[in-house]
Amino acid sequence: MQARYVLRIGAVFALAAGTSAATASATPAQHPPNYVKQATATGTGGAVASAEFNASKAGIETLRSGGNAIDAAVAVASTLGVTEPFVAGAGGGGYMVIYLAKTKQVVTIDGREMCAAACTPNLFLDPATGKPLAFEDARRSGLSVGVPGMVATWDKAVKAYGRKSLGSNLKPAIEVADHGFTVTPNFVDQEKEALADLQTFTSSRKLFLTKDGQPLPAGSTLRNPDLAHTYSEIAKHGASYLYGGPLGNDIARAVTHPPVWSGSTFNVRPGLMTAQDVANYVAKTRQPTHVNYRGLDVYGMPPSSSGGTTTGEALNILNGWNLSGESRAEATFHYLEASRLAFADRNAYVGDSDYQPVPVQGLLDPAFAATRRCLVGNKALTSPVAPGIPFAPYGTCPTSKTAANPVHEGTQTNHLVVADKWGNVVSYTNTIEQVAGSGITVPGRGFLLNNEMTDFDFAPATPSTYDPNLPAPGKRPRSSMSPTIVLKAGAPDFTLGSPGGATIITTVLQTLINHVDFGMSLPQALAAPRVSQRNNAKADAEPAFLSTDLAKVLTSQYGEQFAAKTGPVLPADSFIGNATGIDFLPGGRFQAAAEPVRSGGGSALVVNPQ
Ligand code: GLU
């Protein structure tokens, strides 16, 4: 079936720069007064924060109609698949960390995309030269697409922990897809960023671009009846409509026969995925990572993500210094160095733990962290620093000489958080990897396919370097996603997460120490300027950070080096991350926090605002 779409150019209204179209189009008649797009919301009864207003609203309505945090998280994620189709949706994957109030347990679901059974370590090597493909050639192809894990995650989470059915949780998204939503300036920016990719595939041109292949105008209304139909079929038949069903067949066909536009000059390589690969997919329950940071219990995502082990190791390193008693410059210096060292270990040791042993215990052992902390003096270390040896006995202050593996990770994803009145919490990062993923929309199905397989290393740093992150049959590429839940004395204290590829880890770390060590409120911690050191000579820094006296002192006194964060296309690329979180305040109140400025700002809502 060909993709059918309707694009209604709504009444053109003036949009002030930075004002969201969702705000502009929302009228008091349509929503109760509390449905306003805002970055912070405080109140009771439950809370949601996500990157987008319609999605947060879907979550709150699910909570209001008797759903719990797990149900609402699925409503938010599936609605993001409609309104943020370039960074979310059924064609992607992600990681869900859940706190269950009843059993006081933290559980996780690994819904990461999986490589086809025919994958080999040579997946991204050019057969003609034996050399790694250029990143964009790898990305804009069927080779980059992994079996999507999103719907399997939703299904598993709802069956195990929800109060409603998957079908009922998909209803808000179906409605938005059917009725349409207002195209925001941020949506248009994403189209500009991925324009060449969207233009390459007939199905993507038809769904997301104007007739002459250009970005949609801000303020127009985009309907997606194909996606409304796809979600309705999943609602009716369950996840088996995708895994082992007709939708899975369509996905495999789009991967092996990408619908390339006749005018494209790109060499689009077909992928290896079969319908059987799709049928074989399983979302996996895994033990969360855990570290104790200043008396708080910090839970995160284990491999196949490197999020939990890397934030955990960095926090263990930081535990050795009293950041709140140090000058802000010294404390920030320690943050940068802890992150630098933790990234060296991440790149050397973390991959899909179902494929090779990952020393999770060692990486999270405070005694191992001590062997990394001891390397930090008064001046910035020289990157790339070598990985440590996370195998007991750890030695005193050892270094090794292993070469660092090259890393590429995208920078656009989304993170959503939900808390309900029963005390359950969900922290969920999900993605299709780059903006617009592989660029391939499944014809007639209304969603884009991921390019998550490019999170594998294309080749080891040297032929003899051990690389835990090479492609293999059925393997999941290493992620940086770091959905995090923090407990204090056994009860939720706060939760957070962010997109941003490998900068996810530093955004979570920096926001966490802003809140815990520097005493900022969660909204302040999240809004503060960001800087990200990932074992590179220069740390990426937002312009707002570079202009601070703090940056000057870190350079002159501590020898830190910074590079202004820039992106390939847009001014918005100068931002790092797009975080959301919830702070659990005294008296059973929630403070939901989204970005006030970055990427057009996110949306925080509570059930009963105060
Ligand atoms: N693919 C990235 C990862 O798994 C996330 C995508 C992003 O945030 O850009 O770490």
Side-chain angles (χ1 to χ4, degrees):
M1 184 173 85
Q2 272 299 307
R4 279 172 54 245
Y5 79 104
V6 182
L7 170 66
R8 284 198 311 244
I9 308 298
V12 178
F13 43 80
L15 285 175
T19 304
S20 103
T23 307
S25 65
T27 62
Q30 281 172 312
H31 309 300
N34 58 315
Y35 285 154
V36 172
K37 181 171 180 272
Q38 58 197 355
T40 304
T42 307
T44 59
V48 179
S50 84
E52 197 273 329
F53 173 75
N54 290 286
S56 291
K57 180 169 158 268
I60 287 290
E61 286 182 348
T62 303
L63 292 176
R64 283 208 165 119
S65 61
N68 65 11
I70 292 88
D71 297 306
V74 171
V76 178
S78 53
T79 306
L80 285 169
V82 182
T83 56
E84 296 269 321
F86 308 120
V87 302
Y95 298 93
M96 194 184 275
V97 177
I98 308 170
Y99 172 76
L100 297 164
K102 213 175 192 172
T103 55
K104 294 188 174 295
Q105 258 182 313
V106 179
V107 295
T108 80
I109 302 177
D110 173 339
R112 183 68 159 173
E113 297 89 332
M114 169 184 97
C115 217
C119 285
T120 70
N122 298 340
L123 183 67
F124 292 121
L125 300 185
D126 186 336
T129 63
K131 297 241 155 56
L133 294 174
F135 178 77
E136 283 301 329
D137 290 345
R139 175 249 176 127
R140 198 185 299 115
S141 80
L143 294 172
S144 70
V145 184
V147 177
M150 205 81 87
V151 174
T153 306
W154 301 346
D155 184 50
K156 187 169 192 125
V158 167
K159 277 197 181 124
Y161 313 115
R163 300 181 89 231
K164 295 183 164 211
S165 66
L166 175 62
S168 137
N169 293 330
L170 292 176
K171 270 194 192 137
I174 295 170
E175 217 167 280
V176 179
D178 219 14
H179 291 119
F181 62 96
T182 306
V183 169
T184 64
N186 185 51
F187 189 101
V188 178
D189 279 354
Q190 292 181 341
E191 292 206 318
K192 285 184 189 155
E193 178 136 3
L195 195 57
D197 311 289
L198 294 169
Q199 286 173 336
T200 301
F201 301 99
T202 52
S203 49
S204 301
R205 295 176 75 94
K206 191 163 186 185
L207 180 57
F208 293 118
L209 300 179
T210 61
K211 279 208 173 73
D212 52 355
Q214 294 306 308
L216 302 177
S220 58
T221 299
L222 179 61
R223 294 185 60 225
N224 190 340
D226 286 342
L227 185 53
H229 180 254
T230 299
Y231 279 162
S232 299
E233 292 298 298
I234 295 171
K236 206 185 301 168
H237 305 287
S240 62
Y241 183 72
L242 196 166
Y243 303 98
L247 180 54
N249 297 343
D250 287 1
I251 291 172
R253 179 156 180 86
V255 170
T256 51
H257 299 81
V260 180
W261 176 54
S262 55
S264 170
T265 53
F266 295 121
N267 173 14
V268 177
R269 294 161 174 84
L272 310 170
M273 189 191 298
T274 63
Q276 191 57 47
D277 289 321
V278 183
N280 289 347
Y281 186 86
V282 181
K284 299 184 180 183
T285 308
R286 299 192 190 275
Q287 278 296 316
T289 60
H290 169 257
V291 297
N292 190 288
Y293 186 65
R294 311 210 193 277
L296 303 171
D297 290 298
V298 181
Y299 291 92
M301 198 65 220
S304 54
S305 182
S306 62
T309 54
T310 314
T311 53
E313 179 187 340
L315 289 173
N316 279 338
I317 296 172
L318 290 171
N319 254 328
W321 296 295
N322 175 19
L323 298 193
S324 64
E326 296 174 349
S327 70
R328 189 59 62 85
E330 187 175 18
T332 307
F333 165 67
H334 284 146
Y335 151 68
L336 293 169
E337 296 306 302
S339 173
R340 186 195 302 275
L341 290 160
F343 262 90
D345 298 325
R346 163 200 186 265
N347 295 353
Y349 296 110
V350 185
D352 183 344
S353 51
D354 292 341
Y355 278 73
Q356 65 274 307
V358 177
V360 172
Q361 211 185 332
L363 290 169
L364 291 174
D365 191 334
F368 171 62
T371 72
R372 305 300 276 155
R373 191 186 312 117
C374 62
L375 299 171
V376 180
N378 298 324
K379 289 279 181 213
L381 292 165
T382 304
S383 278
V385 294
I389 305 165
F391 304 95
Y394 299 113
T396 41
C397 203
T399 54
S400 77
K401 293 255 177 310
T402 323
N405 283 312
V407 176
H408 178 93
E409 273 165 54
T411 53
Q412 278 290 344
T413 272
N414 76 86
H415 184 75
L416 64 96
V417 286
V418 186
D420 66 29
K421 63 181 176 189
W422 295 283
N424 303 301
V425 184
V426 175
S427 191
Y428 185 21
T429 318
N430 57 82
T431 184
I432 62 173
E433 212 324 69
Q434 297 290 124
V435 179
S438 61
I440 305 171
T441 296
V442 186
R445 294 304 194 170
F447 64 88
L448 282 154
L449 289 169
N450 67 83
N451 67 305
E452 219 74 52
M453 299 304 100
T454 60
D455 276 358
F456 281 121
D457 295 340
F458 289 16
T462 71
S464 62
T465 308
Y466 169 70
D467 190 331
N469 191 35
L470 291 172
K475 189 174 174 181
R476 299 170 189 218
R478 176 181 59 214
S479 168
S480 300
M481 289 187 257
S482 310
T484 302
I485 295 180
V486 180
L487 305 185
K488 187 181 198 167
D493 187 30
F494 64 97
T495 176
L496 80 165
S498 176
T503 69
I504 291 172
I505 289 167
T506 56
T507 293
V508 166
L509 259 181
Q510 196 181 357
T511 309
L512 195 146
I513 63 170
N514 282 345
H515 185 51
V516 172
D517 294 297
F518 303 155
M520 295 183 200
S521 71
L522 197 58
Q524 288 169 338
L526 210 130
R530 292 189 183 130
V531 56
S532 173
Q533 173 47 264
R534 308 187 303 284
N535 199 15
N536 295 320
K538 296 184 178 184
D540 288 325
E542 292 185 334
F545 179 85
L546 284 178
S547 63
T548 57
D549 288 344
L550 176 61
K552 289 183 192 101
V553 176
L554 284 163
T555 311
S556 60
Q557 206 169 312
Y558 293 94
E560 294 289 353
Q561 297 178 57
F562 303 108
K565 170 81 169 42
T566 53
V569 181
L570 300 168
D573 293 327
S574 62
F575 290 125
I576 296 175
N578 184 359
T580 58
I582 299 175
D583 197 9
F584 297 80
L585 303 177
R589 290 180 313 134
F590 304 101
Q591 182 165 57
E595 295 285 356
V597 174
R598 294 180 183 95
S599 301
S603 165
L605 291 170
V606 290
V607 171
N608 306 310
Q610 286 174 345

